């Protein structure tokens, strides 16, 4: 064979830094974009990405991956799984597609930030493949839902959601912008690739793929597990950057970046992924509970990676462990209650079998969350549907932009964590959200939550109708109970039998 | 879900405004993706005055090159991810086929030693230059005001990494065949100090700090790249053929296919910009700033050719000028090359 092996020339392709002289290094790599933190160029040149690939391998492998993914879609299109699927699963897909594709596109900008401004040449090259990967993820996750566009207006939200001021879209942007596009290259390597992609994309793309396979949605399962193969490659850009920071006395700063990114990601997942996994997906399709997925991917795998790297568990780890039992149940209740304000149809997911499953996975669920659902169920059984819709706005956290949730019933722990900063009063859903703000107030201080905008008179008329309009939700887009309340019939039957 | 006055859609509502025809797959997956252009005062869902918000407001939203609807831009090639990989996998099979065959027939051993020394000076340091193009394209990617422009820059960034990779590959092969000539060791030093490269180095260092998105696009895609492509791909490729280096001639020709694609969307973007009053002046202003630097770079590079460097530089400058002519900018002093030097 007369071809060289990749390792013969790979190092040359990533030996690309030079000493500029027509402009200074500081001008060519501005600190606000580069984030080299005073660590010299020669040190960044020691960056060694663990997962190596090259241009010819990339285009060949990716071509094959796409051939596979698109042909699964084509082969299964006629079966029209979506028409037969449980409405809860359809909601899962619609919620996922609204939150993800434009976020993927944003991630390609984060990759481009590294590709241009990282002082580590290996990072700059790998990020080119990362830019390409995220371009792929955007296009796949627009092309697939677009095939369903005739099935209802909510499918339009795959493209539309992040372009609106719908509250969950605001919360998603608030996280994505913070860890993806609004920071320097090295912060991006750590927050986006190390923290978010190593930790959380496994949850969304492998956890949900497992549920999809169990549910029988093989198109979705093949799509998102193929996406994860790219994530598992480009997420490895953060590790070597962390190593350089730690070796050069920047451990505390690195730890903080990781801690903020993990907490903020967790909060968004608690409202999007938690309800999907524990309530929308039909019981038979739930491979693991949301908490079990979190324990496997975040606590089991990611925590070990943190420690291997020489970092510590985030200081709030005990709080997170506690919240794994509660936060997403509260979020789910809130989303279902305010269902008209989301672009998907939340499934209540509280039939007797669901509740049995929930009690088994989250002992005590019935005496906390169950009591709220008892009231809702009772109202629905007695023709008081109007009472199952809210009349007020929730309090919104100034960090995660999500409702300040708490555990009702016996475990009542409702608490606001306020902070006054530069003459303005902020509210937070937890002490960790407040901590994220306190260590870096400039990043967030001038931001207005949806409630701030309401109070500032930006939402008119100042009522639910005005809010829905502001959020871009027309009647046929607003969420309804996914099953049209069919799930209460089992309770009615049980009641009748008991009477 | 369909119980309302909103009609059933055939495509995204974003693409449904009055459109008669069904959008292509390209449009479905490429248009309207930069949500951060919607509120010009607050690009990110964070404090509106953080450094990164100011960067985007200043260098993207307040660019002197203006258009009310950059999102209307369409890539004439309608390139999407999956077709990109199809096309480039084919192109790479061709190039690695060349590497394989020419290696098998002992191509490098048949080269004239003087030519080989010339390659160490004037060819293998090009990976730094190509890398600078990679950086410049990645910048245009993150700053462009429309996803359809960003996508073009995405694929261009990957193409430039492709060129870096080709050079790295050939550098190692030449180092294996000719130990002791500095291959794989002296490229950085030559890039930093050899007079033939200093014009290009100055050009790219300056262009890399042109922070305005449209100036970065103009500098890289309308001026720097055409200069590199005409001098370092085409003229060097011609010279290689004349010196029996068929492989380099064929390689640069293959790379030119990428460059042609970049020029097609570059022309389309300029054509769109020129719909708006005021943009012609902005663009000609930038051309006036960057063309002299680029021509000087071409001259310095070609001056290092073993023979006929002047003529090669003239040909390169003519080709650059005729490309600028195709941009319909019609300011003659900017589209005519400076032939006095
Ligand atoms: Fe992705
Ligand atoms: Fe990713």
């Amino acid at each position: 064979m007369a071809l060289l092996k990749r390792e013969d020339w790979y190092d040359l392709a990533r030996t690309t830094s030079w000493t500029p002289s027509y402009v200074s290094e500081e001008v060519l790599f501005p600190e606000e974009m580069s984030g080299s933190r005073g660590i010299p160029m020669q040190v960044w040149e020691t960056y060694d990405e663990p997962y190596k690939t090259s241009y010819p391998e990339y285009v060949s492998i990716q071509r094959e991956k796409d051939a596979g993914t698109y042909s699964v879609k084509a082969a299964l299109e006629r079966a029209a799984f979506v028409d037969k699927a449980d409405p809860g699963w359809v909601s899962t897909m619609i919620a996922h597609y609204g939150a993800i594709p434009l976020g993927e596109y944003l991630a390609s900008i984060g990759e481009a930030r590294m590709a241009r401004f990282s002082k580590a040449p290996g990072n700059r090259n790998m990020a080119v493949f990362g830019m390409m990967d995220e371009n792929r993820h955007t296009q796949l996750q627009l092309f697939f839902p677009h095939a369903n566009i005739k099935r209802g207006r909510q499918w339009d939200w795959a493209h539309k959601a992040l372009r609106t001021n719908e509250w969950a879209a605001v919360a998603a942007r608030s996280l994505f912008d913070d860890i993806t596009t609004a920071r320097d290259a090295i912060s991006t390597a750590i927050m986006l690739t190390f923290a978010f992609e190593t930790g959380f994309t496994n949850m969304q793309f492998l956890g949900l793929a497992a549920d999809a396979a169990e549910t029988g949605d093989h198109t979705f399962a093949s799509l998102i597990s193929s996406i994860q193969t790219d994530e598992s490659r480009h997420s490895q850009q953060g590790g070597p950057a962390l190593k350089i920071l730690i070796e050069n006395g920047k451990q505390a700063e690195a730890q903080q970046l990781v801690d903020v990114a993990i907490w903020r990601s967790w909060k968004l997942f608690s409202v999007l992924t938690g309800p999907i996994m524990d309530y929308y997906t039909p019981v038979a399709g739930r491979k693991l509970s949301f908490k079990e997925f979190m324990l496997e991917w975040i606590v089991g795998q990611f925590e070990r990676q943190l420690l291997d790297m020489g970092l510590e568990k985030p200081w709030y780890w005990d709080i997170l462990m506690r919240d794994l039992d509660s936060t997403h149940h509260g979020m789910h209740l809130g989303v279902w209650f305010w269902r008209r304000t989301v672009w998907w149809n939340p499934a209540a997911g509280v039939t007797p079998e669901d509740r049995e499953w929930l009690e088994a996975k989250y002992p005590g669920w019935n005496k906390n969350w169950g009591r709220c659902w008892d009231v809702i169920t009772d109202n629905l059984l007695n023709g008081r549907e109007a009472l199952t819709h809210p009349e007020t706005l929730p309090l919104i956290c100034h960090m995660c932009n999500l409702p300040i949730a708490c555990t009702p019933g016996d475990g009542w722990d409702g608490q606001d964590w306020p902070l006054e900063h530069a003459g303005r009063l902020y509210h937070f859903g937890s002490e960790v959200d407040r901590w994220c703000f306190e260590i870096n107030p400039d990043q967030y201080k001038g931001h207005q939550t949806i409630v701030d905008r309401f109070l500032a008179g930006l939402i008119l008329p100042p009522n639910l109708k005005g809010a829905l309009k502001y959020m871009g939700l027309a009647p046929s887009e607003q969420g309804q109970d996914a099953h049209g309340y069919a799930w209460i019939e089992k309770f009615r039957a049980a009641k009748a039998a008991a009477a | 879900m369909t119980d309302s006055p909103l009609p059933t859609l055939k495509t995204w509502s974003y693409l449904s405004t009055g459109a008669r025809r069904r959008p292509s797959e390209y449009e479905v997956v490429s248009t309207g993706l930069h949500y951060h252009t919607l509120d010009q005062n607050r690009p990110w869902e964070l404090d509106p005055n953080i450094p990164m918000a100011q960067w985007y407001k200043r260098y993207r939203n307040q660019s002197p090159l203006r258009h009310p609807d950059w999102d209307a831009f369409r890539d004439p090639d309608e390139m999407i991810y999956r077709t990109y990989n199809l096309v480039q996998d084919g192109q790479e099979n061709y190039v690695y086929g060349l590497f394989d065959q020419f290696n098998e027939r002992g191509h490098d051993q048949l080269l004239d030693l003087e030519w080989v020394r010339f390659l160490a000076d004037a060819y293998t340091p090009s990976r730094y230059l190509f890398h600078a193009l990679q950086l410049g394209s990645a910048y245009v990617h993150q700053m462009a005001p429309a996803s359809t422009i960003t996508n073009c820059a995405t694929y261009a960034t990957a193409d430039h990494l492709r060129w870096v990779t080709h050079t790295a590959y050939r550098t190692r092969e030449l180092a294996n065949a000719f130990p002791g000539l500095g291959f794989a060791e002296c490229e950085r030093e030559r890039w930093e100090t050899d007079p033939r490269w200093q014009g290009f180095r100055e050009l790219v260092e300056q262009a890399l700090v042109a922070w305005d998105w449209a100036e970065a696009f103009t500098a890289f895609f309308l001026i720097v790249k055409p200069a590199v492509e005409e001098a370092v791909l085409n003229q060097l490729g011609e010279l290689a053929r004349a010196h029996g280096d068929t492989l380099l001639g064929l390689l640069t020709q293959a790379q030119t296919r990428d460059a042609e694609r970049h020029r097609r969307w570059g022309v389309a973007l300029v054509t769109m910009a020129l719909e708006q009053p005021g943009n012609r002046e902005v663009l000609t202003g930038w051309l006036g700033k960057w063309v002299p630097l680029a021509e000087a770079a071409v001259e310095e590079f070609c001056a290092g050719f073993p023979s006929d460097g002047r003529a090669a530089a003239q040909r390169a400058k003519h080709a650059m000028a005729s490309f600028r002519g195709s941009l319909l900018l019609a300011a003659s002093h900017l589209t005519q090359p400076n032939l006095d030097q």
Side-chain angles (χ1 to χ4, degrees):
Chain A
M1 203 47 197
L3 275 174
L4 295 177
K5 291 196 288 289
R6 184 225 283 155
E7 56 267 33
D8 295 331
W9 50 267
Y10 187 87
D11 282 341
L12 285 172
R14 59 172 180 165
T15 305
T16 50
S17 286
W18 75 90
T19 308
S21 63
Y22 298 96
V23 303
S24 69
E25 187 185 317
E26 295 69 42
V27 172
L28 196 57
F29 291 95
E31 182 59 21
E32 65 201 287
M33 302 302 270
S34 178
S36 60
R37 292 164 172 77
I39 299 169
M41 196 78 138
Q42 305 86 275
V43 176
W44 289 109
E45 284 168 34
T46 65
Y47 174 105
D48 185 23
E49 61 279 15
Y51 195 134
K52 296 178 175 61
T53 192
S54 67
Y55 184 88
E57 292 167 285
Y58 183 85
V59 290
S60 160
I61 291 166
Q62 299 301 103
R63 173 189 175 165
E64 275 171 41
K65 279 189 200 170
D66 269 356
T69 313
Y70 282 90
S71 63
V72 168
K73 175 180 184 291
L76 297 178
E77 204 132 56
R78 283 178 152 223
F81 175 81
V82 59
D83 290 332
K84 295 167 221 150
D86 183 277
W89 182 253
V90 175
S91 299
T92 292
M93 283 192 280
I94 291 176
H96 170 94
Y97 282 129
I100 304 297
L102 269 64
E104 301 271 17
Y105 201 67
L106 195 76
S108 85
I109 294 185
E111 296 286 343
R113 181 79 29 80
M114 296 185 276
R116 165 61 183 88
F117 291 105
S118 175
K119 285 194 181 176
N123 191 191
R124 293 199 296 270
N125 280 5
M126 285 305 105
V128 174
F129 300 127
M131 286 162 71
M132 290 288 287
D133 289 339
E134 303 300 9
N135 184 270
R136 172 180 193 240
H137 304 169
T138 308
Q139 298 193 354
L140 279 167
Q141 291 173 103
L142 287 171
F143 188 66
F144 279 49
H146 188 265
N148 293 327
I149 193 83
K150 286 182 193 149
R151 291 184 162 93
R153 293 290 298 222
Q154 291 180 337
W155 287 99
D156 187 33
W157 284 65
H159 185 273
K160 176 177 171 178
L162 290 189
R163 297 175 56 91
T164 70
N165 283 313
E166 193 281 338
W167 65 267
V170 171
R173 283 201 300 270
S174 156
L175 167 70
F176 295 153
D177 288 345
D178 198 12
I179 64 172
T180 302
T181 32
R183 300 197 190 231
D184 63 75
I186 296 304
S187 299
T188 307
I190 290 166
M191 299 179 94
L192 173 64
T193 81
F194 181 75
F196 182 77
E197 293 180 334
T198 311
F200 284 87
T201 60
N202 278 319
M203 287 284 299
Q204 188 74 8
F205 290 97
L206 289 184
L208 208 50
D211 282 359
E214 297 277 321
T215 307
D217 191 346
H218 300 293
T219 306
F220 194 63
S222 108
L223 166 69
I224 62 179
S225 50
S226 175
I227 286 174
Q228 187 56 27
T229 62
D230 302 334
E231 294 299 328
S232 64
R233 167 169 35 75
H234 68 235
S235 67
Q236 296 185 34
Q237 292 173 92
L242 261 180
K243 186 166 170 273
I244 289 177
L245 289 188
I246 292 169
E247 286 170 359
N248 289 272
K250 308 284 176 197
Q251 173 149 2
E253 202 179 330
Q255 179 84 45
Q256 228 172 44
L257 292 170
V258 171
D259 292 357
V260 170
I262 301 273
W263 183 261
R264 299 217 56 198
S265 304
W266 146 249
K267 288 303 285 281
L268 188 69
F269 272 62
S270 78
V271 75
L272 289 174
T273 316
I276 280 174
M277 287 180 163
D278 284 355
Y279 294 90
Y280 302 179
T281 301
V283 176
R286 290 179 206 158
K287 181 103 190 297
L288 294 174
S289 70
F290 177 59
K291 178 184 173 182
E292 287 163 343
F293 274 125
M294 282 291 296
L295 288 174
E296 175 173 342
W297 293 110
I298 306 298
V299 179
Q301 303 213 18
F302 185 66
E303 182 189 297
R304 200 183 53 234
Q305 273 175 289
L306 268 178
L307 300 178
D308 288 351
M309 197 62 69
L311 289 175
E312 283 158 25
K313 288 188 281 186
W315 64 268
Y316 52 73
W317 217 232
D318 292 343
I319 298 174
L320 176 64
M321 291 307 112
R322 185 196 69 202
D323 288 0
L324 286 180
D325 279 316
S326 60
T327 305
H328 72 290
H329 298 302
M331 293 292 179
H332 170 61
L333 186 62
V335 168
W336 189 87
F337 199 42
W338 272 278
R339 55 198 174 282
R340 291 179 66 190
T341 67
V342 294
W343 67 82
W344 65 92
N345 295 332
V350 288
T351 62
E353 311 85 84
D354 284 305
R355 292 178 65 141
E356 209 175 294
W357 183 88
L358 286 160
E359 184 65 36
K361 297 291 184 184
Y362 303 94
W365 185 93
N366 273 304
K367 68 179 172 14
N368 296 322
W369 311 98
R371 292 200 182 165
C372 296
W373 288 103
D374 288 344
V375 175
I376 289 169
T377 307
D378 194 56
N379 281 331
L380 290 171
L381 284 170
N382 292 292
R384 299 191 296 262
E385 197 262 352
L387 294 181
T388 69
H389 292 280
E391 285 175 7
T392 53
L393 289 174
L395 195 59
I396 298 280
C397 171
H398 276 102
M399 178 54 55
C400 63
N401 282 273
L402 296 172
I404 296 181
C406 55
T407 309
D410 286 358
W412 175 261
D413 64 350
Q415 190 178 352
D416 169 26
W417 299 79
L419 177 76
E420 205 181 302
H421 173 81
R424 184 177 164 195
L425 182 63
Y426 297 86
H427 302 278
F428 299 95
S430 71
E431 66 175 304
V432 191
D433 286 287
R434 186 169 70 179
W435 172 80
C436 293
F437 184 97
E438 279 179 299
I439 59 167
N440 190 8
D442 288 348
Q443 183 84 347
Y444 314 101
K445 65 181 182 213
H447 182 259
Q448 289 187 301
T449 65
I450 291 268
V451 171
D452 293 332
R453 295 175 211 182
F454 189 84
L455 297 174
L458 297 172
I459 299 177
L460 294 168
N463 54 28
L464 182 65
K465 203 171 163 214
L468 290 168
K469 191 170 144 243
Y470 180 75
M471 292 192 269
L473 283 156
S476 49
E477 300 175 298
Q478 296 162 14
Q480 307 167 13
D481 179 76
H483 298 88
Y485 309 126
W487 52 274
I488 63 167
E489 296 311 320
K490 288 190 177 165
F491 291 98
R492 200 190 305 278
K495 241 176 152 180
Chain B
M1 265 192 276
T2 50
D3 60 337
S4 84
L6 288 182
T8 302
L9 292 170
K10 292 196 176 75
T11 184
W12 307 132
S13 53
Y14 176 82
L15 290 170
S16 301
T17 43
R20 304 139 302 272
R21 65 185 177 83
R22 226 183 123 73
S24 61
E25 180 181 348
Y26 163 74
E27 289 178 292
V28 167
V29 302
S30 313
T31 55
L33 308 178
H34 281 328
Y35 62 70
H36 34 88
T37 58
L38 293 173
D39 186 341
Q40 295 277 301
N41 296 314
R42 198 176 51 98
W44 314 116
E45 202 65 66
L46 295 162
D47 184 284
N49 293 311
I50 55 171
M52 199 61 74
Q54 290 181 16
W55 189 283
Y56 275 79
K57 285 194 262 191
R58 180 164 170 205
Y59 297 125
R60 183 185 67 188
N61 300 354
Q62 293 159 19
S63 172
L65 198 76
R66 290 175 208 284
H67 197 286
D69 187 17
W70 287 118
D71 277 311
F73 175 74
R74 296 290 181 268
D75 171 10
D77 282 67
E78 303 216 333
M79 188 63 91
I80 59 173
Y81 183 85
R82 63 166 159 163
T83 48
Y84 178 85
N85 288 313
L86 267 167
V87 170
Q88 295 302 69
D89 186 33
Q91 291 292 312
E92 286 290 271
N93 281 331
Y94 168 70
V95 165
Y96 285 80
L98 291 179
F99 289 163
D100 199 3
Q101 289 168 29
F102 279 81
N103 181 289
E104 207 110 284
R105 67 170 84 144
H107 170 268
D108 290 351
Q109 286 72 17
L110 298 174
L111 293 173
D112 176 68
L113 197 58
E114 271 317 294
W115 174 254
V116 174
R117 284 184 208 283
F118 174 76
L119 290 178
D121 293 334
Y123 169 58
T124 54
S126 68
R127 85 166 182 272
Y128 289 93
L129 180 60
F130 295 153
H131 184 68
L133 302 182
Q134 181 185 327
L135 302 183
S137 319
Y139 186 68
V140 173
H141 167 114
Q142 65 196 277
M143 297 304 293
S147 51
T148 43
I149 304 171
T150 289
N151 280 358
C152 289
T154 312
Y155 307 133
T157 309
D159 293 334
H160 295 136
L161 175 56
R162 176 180 185 230
W163 300 358
V164 170
T165 304
H166 292 158
T167 305
Y169 186 100
R170 282 295 292 150
T171 303
R172 176 57 61 204
E173 242 181 355
L174 288 162
N176 291 347
F178 303 99
L181 293 189
F183 284 112
E185 281 158 20
C186 300
E187 280 81 16
R188 176 170 176 169
E189 187 203 319
R190 281 164 181 146
W191 167 245
E192 289 179 0
T193 60
D194 187 323
R196 83 186 70 226
W197 290 111
Q198 300 319 299
F200 271 123
R201 191 163 66 80
E202 178 177 3
L203 178 65
V204 296
E205 287 181 13
Q206 299 285 4
L208 282 169
V209 301
W211 300 124
D212 182 273
W213 86 268
E215 185 175 5
F217 158 75
T218 304
F220 272 99
F221 285 90
L222 305 183
I223 300 161
V224 176
K225 274 171 46 59
V228 172
E229 291 150 9
E230 295 306 335
V232 185
L233 300 184
N234 288 342
Q235 295 307 319
L236 184 66
E238 284 295 326
L239 194 66
R241 275 185 283 273
H243 285 82
D245 190 347
T246 320
L247 178 55
L248 184 57
L250 290 170
L251 176 60
T252 54
Q253 217 166 41
Q255 292 164 335
T256 300
R257 302 284 289 274
D258 300 342
E260 286 163 356
R261 174 160 37 80
H262 307 157
R263 291 191 194 186
R264 283 193 292 275
W265 69 259
V267 170
L269 185 54
V270 170
T271 307
M272 179 178 166
L274 291 178
E275 293 164 2
Q276 298 298 317
N279 283 344
R280 179 178 303 273
E281 293 69 25
V282 173
L283 285 167
T284 40
W286 283 333
L287 258 52
K289 174 176 165 189
W290 293 101
V291 167
L293 266 177
E295 290 191 338
V298 166
E299 282 154 15
E300 286 175 39
F301 179 74
C302 294
F305 282 11
S307 57
D308 299 326
R310 254 183 89 107
Q314 303 288 41
R315 287 194 294 274
K317 288 191 290 180
H318 264 296
M320 290 158 63
S322 90
F323 172 64
R324 290 198 300 280
S326 71
L327 300 172
L328 306 169
L329 280 166
S332 58
H333 69 287
L334 293 172
T335 51
Q336 295 305 310
N338 176 1
L339 301 180
D340 310 332
Q341 294 152 36

